[in-house]
């Protein structure tokens, strides 16, 4: 035992020497130099008391000890600095540490004089419920409190006070808890009244304090002081969220809700471009969470005034050339057949979905992910044609869908002009069919009657007569008509009766395409129609953008994409003689 005491005394001196540092990082680094990480591995054996004492001390001060919020409650968590997928941990979890190690911790706790040493060792003994656990907790809490007065850095002081409070709370020590909370308030006030604009330490104290049922009355004033001290709308918003927790009564809550919206509106006034748009979006998000129509109207009105030219976005363009011979080869499928009817069938069959096959899309997305450093860490948000935010992925499934839609949009940049040329070539080589002939052609099949066939015929006539915009606007709704008729033809029940204020109706195009996909619609064509017409995760979304008036000029390429979708869906219900051989 005398030999063990000698080893413990020697290690205790090392701990106390390290504790003379002014910051927790410097103290830890000093001890790590004396007991390096290389000594942490392996099993603690009491046969070599010197090595065992060093290992036990090294383990004790290498745990990660933090105050964290778990299921709405703040707890002191002690965890190993390394945990492997096989369950291995270094140092071992406190509950798995051997009795020999715990006894060394207890001996060290009696020897050390520094608050840094006492706080950590007594805390571990409490976590392990060794001996008089309550006494260990009280000594640990008091040592943490004293330590907060010794550290020079605000974050270290905040950490020590938070740990002191959590350990005192764990054993129901109310008087000590009240003393610690008072010191927390004093530290917050010193931090917010100083010259530093770094809110980390203050927030580190305010967050757990706000959740305390018996928090000091001075906490409200401390929150107000922090709100005045920090100019960042992000920090102010978080402080107001804490004030909302403390708010009592509808009037106080309403006042805080108004403040949360206003700070983002004010921040937007002082910003420009995407930053301004982001601040306005946050204002609307806060307004919607409040459920108050007055706040929603104010925030939405401000956001709606944003225009695309206000965002400061940069556009990039690139071009490529092909030889005359290559271009002719690309046009051959629609220029070397018997007539315009066969050419329209080839317009779908020979060129395939404009976004490409789903296999190629998935392959391209995977290839891009290999070389894109930002791909998996950046937050992406899609803007609509009006410059307002449309979609930001919230799950891995949505992120994958956005990547697929983005790749498909790249493909459309190339294939849409090609399809446009091909459609013009049909009229150039075979002449523009009459509306009657087109109507007769599209009347062949189960999906189109004479009237709907005539509507489709007029879409093509507009395109060939030099009105691609009119063709695009009239073609977009016909895609949903054909999809709906195909669903009906397949006996898939999708109609919904009136529910309360919602009238009876068929679901939208996205749902219809989903039903067709389940019924065997080609995955590549499913993705093509979805991305061209209305994929919420990206794409050209022509049907939606046209319907809402966000496209000021629809030229031949987008019109050709929509017309190809029409012909494809029509062929799924056309008579055999009208289909591609």
């Amino acid at each position: 035992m005398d030999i063990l005491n000698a080893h413990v005394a020697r290690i205790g001196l090392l701990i106390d020497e390290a504790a003379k540092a002014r910051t927790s990082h410097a103290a830890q680094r000093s001890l790590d130099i004396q007991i390096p990480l290389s000594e942490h591995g392996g099993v603690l054996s009491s046969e070599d008391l010197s090595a065992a004492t060093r290992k036990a001390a090294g383990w004790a001060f290498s745990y990660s000890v933090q105050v964290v919020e778990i299921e709405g409650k703040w707890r002191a968590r002690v965890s190993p600095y390394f945990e492997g997928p096989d369950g291995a941990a270094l140092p071992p979890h406190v509950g798995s540490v051997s009795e020999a190690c715990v006894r060394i911790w207890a001996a060290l706790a009696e020897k050390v004089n520094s608050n840094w040493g006492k706080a950590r060792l007594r805390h571990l003994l409490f976590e392990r419920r060794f001996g008089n656990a309550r006494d260990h907790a009280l000594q640990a809490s008091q040592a943490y409190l004293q330590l907060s007065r010794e550290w020079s850095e605000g974050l270290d002081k905040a950490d020590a006070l938070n740990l002191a409070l959590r350990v005192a709370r764990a054993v129901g020590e109310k008087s000590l808890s009240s003393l610690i909370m008072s010191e927390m308030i004093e530290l917050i006030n010193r931090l917010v009244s100083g010259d530093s604009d770094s809110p980390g330490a203050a927030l580190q104290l305010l967050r757990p304090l706000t959740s305390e049922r018996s928090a000091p009355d001075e906490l409200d004033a401390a929150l107000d002081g922090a709100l005045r001290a920090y100019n960042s709308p992000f920090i102010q918003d978080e402080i107001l969220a804490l004030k909302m927790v403390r708010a009592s009564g509808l009037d106080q809550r309403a006042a805080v809700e108004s403040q949360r919206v206003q700070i983002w509106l004010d921040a937007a006034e002082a910003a420009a471009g995407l930053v301004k748009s982001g601040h306005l979006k946050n204002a609307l998000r806060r307004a919607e969470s409040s459920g108050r129509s007055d706040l929603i109207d104010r925030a939405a009105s401000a956001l709606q005034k944003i225009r695309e030219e206000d965002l400061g976005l940069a556009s990039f363009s690139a071009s490529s050339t092909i030889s005359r011979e290559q271009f002719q080869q690309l046009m051959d499928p629609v220029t070397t057949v018997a007539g315009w009817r066969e050419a329209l069938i080839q317009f779908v069959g020979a060129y395939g979905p404009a976004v490409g096959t789903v296999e190629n899309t998935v392959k391209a997305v995977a290839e891009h992910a290999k070389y894109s450093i930002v791909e998996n860490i950046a937050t992406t948000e899609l803007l609509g044609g009006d410059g307002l935010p449309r979609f930001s992925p919230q799950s891995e499934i949505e992120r994958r869908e956005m990547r697929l839609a983005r790749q498909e949009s790249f493909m459309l940049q190339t294939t849409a002009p090609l399809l446009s040329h091909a459609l013009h070539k049909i009229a150039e080589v075979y002449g523009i069919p009459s509306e009657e002939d087109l109507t007769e052609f599209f009347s062949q099949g189960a999906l189109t009657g004479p009237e709907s066939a005539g509507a489709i015929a007029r879409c093509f006539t507009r395109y060939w007569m030099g009105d691609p915009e009119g063709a695009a606007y009239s073609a977009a709704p016909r895609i949903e008509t054909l999809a709906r008729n195909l669903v009906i033809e397949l006996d898939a029940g999708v109609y919904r009766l009136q529910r309360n204020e919602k009238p009876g109706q068929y679901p939208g195009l996205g749902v219809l395409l989903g039903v067709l996909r389940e019924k065997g619609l080609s995955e590549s064509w499913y993705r093509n129609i979805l991305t061209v017409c209305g994929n919420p995760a990206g794409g050209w979304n022509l049907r939606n953008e046209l319907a809402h008036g966000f496209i000021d000029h629809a030229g031949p390429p987008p019109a050709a994409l929509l017309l190809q979708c029409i012909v494809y869906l029509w062929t799924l219900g056309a008579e055999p003689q009208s289909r591609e051989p």
Side-chain angles (χ1 to χ4, degrees):
M1 182 62 76
D2 290 339
I3 298 175
L4 176 60
N5 286 337
H7 292 310
V8 167
R10 187 159 52 250
I11 298 302
L13 289 175
L14 294 180
I15 294 170
D16 288 341
E17 186 64 28
K20 293 178 181 179
R22 292 176 56 79
T23 68
S24 63
H25 176 74
Q28 186 66 57
R29 183 177 179 182
S30 176
L31 187 59
D32 286 344
I33 291 173
Q34 298 298 325
I35 307 176
L37 294 179
S38 58
E39 296 187 34
H40 290 193
V43 178
L44 186 146
S45 173
S46 56
E47 293 182 4
D48 186 344
L49 291 178
S50 175
T53 306
R54 291 175 64 84
K55 189 185 298 290
W59 284 356
F61 288 88
S62 64
Y63 283 106
S64 172
V65 183
Q66 297 174 305
V67 171
V68 295
E69 188 176 16
I70 302 174
E71 296 181 353
K73 295 183 178 180
W74 292 88
R75 296 283 186 267
R77 183 175 66 188
V78 179
S79 55
Y81 64 78
F82 169 79
E83 293 188 72
D86 59 351
L90 194 66
H93 289 279
V94 174
S96 302
V97 171
S98 67
E99 286 295 322
C101 179
V102 178
R103 285 195 295 271
I104 294 174
W105 288 349
L108 284 170
E110 295 294 336
K111 287 290 184 183
V112 296
N113 295 310
S114 61
N115 287 307
W116 183 61
K118 290 177 182 178
R120 175 58 62 91
L121 291 164
R122 295 292 180 180
H123 190 172
L124 292 177
L125 292 171
F126 167 66
E127 289 288 332
R128 183 57 186 267
R129 302 300 191 265
F130 178 83
N132 188 335
R134 177 178 174 80
D135 183 61
H136 291 313
L138 291 176
Q139 291 193 57
S141 181
Q142 290 165 348
Y144 278 129
L145 177 58
Q146 293 298 325
L147 188 59
S148 71
R149 300 163 181 167
E150 296 172 3
W151 293 135
S152 61
E153 296 292 334
L155 287 172
D156 286 338
K157 290 176 177 290
D159 278 340
L161 285 170
N162 276 328
L163 287 168
L165 179 59
R166 298 276 66 84
V167 176
R169 281 284 192 223
V171 292
E173 185 54 49
K174 294 182 179 180
S175 59
L176 181 56
S177 297
S178 296
L179 174 62
I180 295 167
M181 287 190 288
S182 295
E183 294 226 6
M184 294 171 80
I185 294 294
E186 289 180 14
L187 178 57
I188 292 168
N189 291 333
R190 290 200 304 271
L191 290 169
V192 301
S193 62
D195 296 331
S196 174
D197 191 33
S198 300
L203 287 175
Q204 200 164 327
L205 293 166
L206 287 168
R207 292 179 188 121
L209 258 183
T210 303
S211 68
E212 290 287 329
R213 293 181 179 178
S214 57
D217 294 336
E218 295 83 2
L219 176 57
D220 293 320
L223 285 167
D224 290 335
L227 190 62
R228 292 189 298 270
Y230 304 120
N231 296 322
S232 166
F234 297 94
I235 302 302
Q236 290 179 328
D237 183 70
E238 182 171 356
I239 295 171
L240 286 170
L242 297 177
K243 284 178 65 67
M244 183 68 75
V245 175
R246 298 274 299 168
S248 59
L250 295 178
D251 290 344
Q252 283 190 14
R253 293 185 63 85
V256 176
E257 287 169 346
S258 298
Q259 278 185 284
R260 293 191 78 182
V261 173
Q262 193 60 47
I263 62 166
W264 290 111
L265 293 176
D266 292 343
E269 284 295 317
L274 287 174
V275 175
K276 180 174 185 174
S277 175
H279 289 341
L280 291 174
K281 187 178 73 171
N282 282 332
L284 182 55
R285 184 180 289 120
R286 296 293 176 263
E288 289 176 342
S289 67
S290 74
R292 290 171 50 187
S293 58
D294 59 326
L295 296 181
I296 294 173
D297 288 346
R298 190 196 315 170
S301 175
L303 181 60
Q304 289 166 191
K305 294 175 183 177
I306 285 282
R307 294 294 178 265
E308 187 174 357
E309 56 269 22
D310 299 329
L311 298 177
L313 298 175
S315 61
F316 301 89
S317 62
S319 62
S320 60
T321 58
I322 59 175
S323 67
R324 184 179 297 275
E325 292 74 16
Q326 288 175 311
F327 180 76
Q328 184 57 50
Q329 289 175 359
L330 290 172
M331 295 297 106
D332 281 348
V334 296
T335 60
T336 58
V337 291
W340 61 266
R341 295 173 178 81
E342 293 79 7
L344 283 177
I345 301 298
Q346 287 292 89
F347 183 57
V348 169
Y351 296 110
V355 298
T357 64
V358 68
E359 294 80 10
N360 286 341
T361 300
V362 170
K363 182 179 178 181
V365 168
E367 190 70 16
H368 175 73
K370 287 182 185 179
Y371 303 104
S372 176
I373 299 174
V374 181
E375 180 72 25
N376 294 317
I377 59 175
T379 300
T380 305
E381 183 172 67
L382 298 179
L383 304 179
D386 54 354
L388 297 181
R390 287 284 192 274
F391 178 82
S392 182
Q394 303 299 311
S395 66
E396 185 54 39
I397 293 176
E398 291 182 350
R399 280 188 284 273
R400 180 180 182 275
E401 180 60 31
M402 176 181 280
R403 295 184 191 112
L404 293 175
R406 181 176 56 196
Q407 174 60 31
E408 289 165 343
S409 295
F410 291 155
M411 282 295 296
L412 292 178
Q413 298 287 345
T414 301
T415 55
L418 172 64
L419 290 175
S420 174
H421 281 292
L423 204 52
H424 280 297
K425 278 292 184 181
I426 294 174
E428 181 181 316
V429 173
Y430 308 105
I432 299 177
S434 67
E435 185 178 322
E436 291 75 13
D437 287 343
L438 283 166
T439 300
E440 181 184 0
F441 174 72
F442 284 113
S443 294
Q444 303 175 62
L447 304 184
T448 48
E451 292 186 359
S452 60
I456 293 173
R458 289 190 292 276
C459 295
F460 281 87
T461 299
R462 292 186 183 100
Y463 185 89
W464 283 323
M465 294 298 291
D467 184 15
E469 186 167 45
Y473 272 94
S474 55
R478 295 299 153 192
I479 295 172
E480 183 168 337
T481 300
L482 290 169
R484 183 171 60 247
N485 290 347
L486 184 56
V487 167
I488 295 171
E489 186 71 14
L490 294 171
D491 293 328
V494 293
Y495 189 80
R496 295 293 178 264
L497 295 175
Q498 178 176 342
R499 295 182 182 179
N500 300 323
E501 299 86 8
K502 193 173 184 179
Q505 61 184 324
Y506 282 101
L509 179 60
V511 175
L512 295 173
L513 289 174
V515 173
L516 294 177
R517 184 189 195 185
E518 293 176 358
K519 294 290 185 179
L521 179 69
S522 159
E523 181 70 15
S524 297
W525 275 104
Y526 161 79
R527 293 207 56 83
N528 183 78
I529 300 172
L530 183 68
T531 297
V532 167
C533 294
N535 189 341
W540 282 25
N541 291 329
L542 293 175
R543 173 180 170 275
N544 294 338
E545 297 294 290
L546 287 168
H548 293 291
F550 294 138
I551 296 179
D552 293 325
H553 175 67
L561 289 175
L562 294 169
L563 292 171
Q564 191 201 34
C565 292
I566 284 179
V567 177
Y568 170 73
L569 288 172
W570 172 80
T571 61
L572 298 181
E575 296 295 338
Q577 64 267 27
S578 300
R579 299 184 185 181
E580 181 186 11

